[in-house]
Amino acid sequence: MLSEVSQVNLYSVKMRASRETNGVREHISGAEQMVRASEVPDLARDLMLRAQNHSKGTPDFINIKVEEIPEESCLRLKALPVRSLACETAAEGLRLACELLGRAGVADAEAVVRLMPQAGRLRGAMILDADTLERLEPDRERGVRATKMGRADRTERACGGTAKNHYAEALVLATKVASAPHIVAEICISDDPDYVTGYVASKSLGYVRIARMKEMGSPEGGRIFLYRGPREELAATIDFIEHRPVLVEDLPKKPCLAKNAADPQGPVPDKWAFLEQGLSAIRKAGLARQIRDMACGPSPRVRCEGRDLLLMASNDYLGLANEPRVRERAARALLEWGTGSGGSRLTTGSLALHSELEERLAAFKKYERALLFNTGYMANVGVITALCGRGDVIFSDELNHASIIDGCRLSRAEIVVYAHNDMADLEDKARRYAGRRGLIVSDSVFSMDGDVVDLAELARMADRYGFLSMIDEAHATGVVGETGRGVTELCGIQPDIVVGTLSKALGSEGGFVCARAQLVEYLINRARSFIFSTALPAACVAAALAALDILESEPWRVRQLRDSVAFFCDSLRKLDVGAESQSAIVPLIVGDERRATRAADLLLERGYLVSAIRYPSVARGSARLRATVRGDHERADLTEAARQIARALREA
Ligand SMILES: *Cc1c(COP(=O)(O)O)cnc(C)c1O
């Protein structure tokens, strides 16, 4: 690894630049390289220019020092192996740094990272006891300054090029420090505002560049060395770092930044680390989600993990998922046609039953034609991506369902988000895009707020500016409108496209779209989530047909649901809990994520299943309890649920 060479006339060229502001002398820049005598003038000039053009400011004092170093006194070190880690944010970069320091044996890496800003105020590096994190640098103002080092190749031939080579300079320094006795690791963030890359290095880790460790433009940087050894040998370590001349050989080329920069010499990165990092961040923010097993029966009560709960969270608003006639029709279809359809609608998976349901849905929604998808999610994604592409524009309500958002993103159209149900804002934006091909899309009942779109204005806007109009009736079908046909019935307006789901009030599974016949024909040829997915199984289709029969022959079910919602909201308001809803969704805004979760937990303990809805389902800081009402909730149950909700909100 090391060999002594005998030749003379190597020179260390050192630059320090500073500026006095308000009586305080501030360090601006510093660098050092070792070169042959013939290269000294060029290097001195380069370093001078670097000092004069530093993004931290213009110095009023520049010191260029040239010092002869006998080459035989130089220790030759092989450069540390280099690896690069990509990351999106400074926070992620710092997490990666912590993990690397941990692997190098530093127990409290997070505390080390927290000391970085303090280290940045020193001219040199901070040196810490790797275990106690006690500061060990003898001069607390100055820190420890690594000097007398250079790259062997610059001393061997005349290598031109810019002196500002962060990568090579940092690697040389890191290699020297990693070779100092008892240094177990080092971490560095550049104080150059234009340079966000940092590194963690040690003999075992090698030199690990981290793409982003601070925000662009920040002059905050710092350097910390971690020492684990006898105190009486500390002076020798510092002496090595500051005074021992070192030449570093075999610098690897600067690697490109990639998540898995495959460097055969570098340590293999832990490919699972992101999971723990990601999950612990989610848990800390109170956003962890979990799956619970629910045993549902015909009533709005469930058995969940040994407890009987009153269900105030289901989308099965009419209780049709367990309605005897629906179950029976599904069972008969299953026995007749089997469990799976075995193919997509365009190959072998289409039964007459599918077409029958499509005709019924079209008639129910008063459109020419309908098309089934496997879920409401797939319907939104399929329809939006089929109708819109690059160069088109989509106007999307800021509170639209995730499946609409995903459809918009996947379409590659320009997405213009307008304020929630704010038709003046929509018009403002629509006007600017008049003449473009476009789509205005909105939930009809908003899934987290339960309010209803201003459909009359939305449709008027679409007509005036020549855009298609589309609403998603997932929470409206079977709920809103005199006979449960949705917001189209409530407002008496038929937008160009209606999307819906079979999985909420219709108690089945599947999604659908209703529109003019030609548009449906277009979707059959263009909607990828329709074309490339296996058709719904017969049982789902039959269940939805039975549910539609019941909805049409027993419209009292819709009225009953509406009355129950009104009763429940009244009960809450009597307890001073603000509650109103035009649908079956009753949002109770809490704000704080953890408080919403606590309230839901308290309710769960007391036998009430009410969801806590948090980011990313809703905006940060607008967490809420979201209670849903079913037509078959008993009045006594709703009264008690309201009382328990009011109590949980007080206690959370
Ligand atoms: C639930 C929901 C969907 C998704 O429907 P699935 O059939 O469950 O995939 C789409 N849009 C809205 C507004 C929803 O609430």
Side-chain angles (χ1 to χ4, degrees), residues 367-417:
Y367 281 84
E368 281 178 17
R369 199 171 167 189
L371 186 68
L372 286 173
F373 286 76
N374 285 7
T375 62
Y377 184 103
M378 289 167 74
N380 275 325
V381 168
V383 170
I384 296 171
T385 55
L387 298 179
C388 302
R390 240 191 258 280
D392 298 336
V393 56
I394 302 174
F395 303 91
S396 174
D397 187 290
E398 63 179 332
L399 296 189
N400 274 346
H401 189 261
S403 55
I404 295 179
I405 296 170
D406 292 357
C408 293
R409 290 182 181 161
L410 209 53
S411 76
R412 305 183 187 208
E414 183 175 350
I415 302 164
V416 177
V417 175

Side-chain angles (χ1 to χ4, degrees), residues 375-377 380 401 403 443 445 447 472 474-475 501 503-504 510:
T375 62
Y377 184 103
N380 275 325
H401 189 261
S403 55
D443 282 17
V445 164
S447 51
D472 175 352
H475 287 285
T501 177
S503 66
K504 287 175 177 149

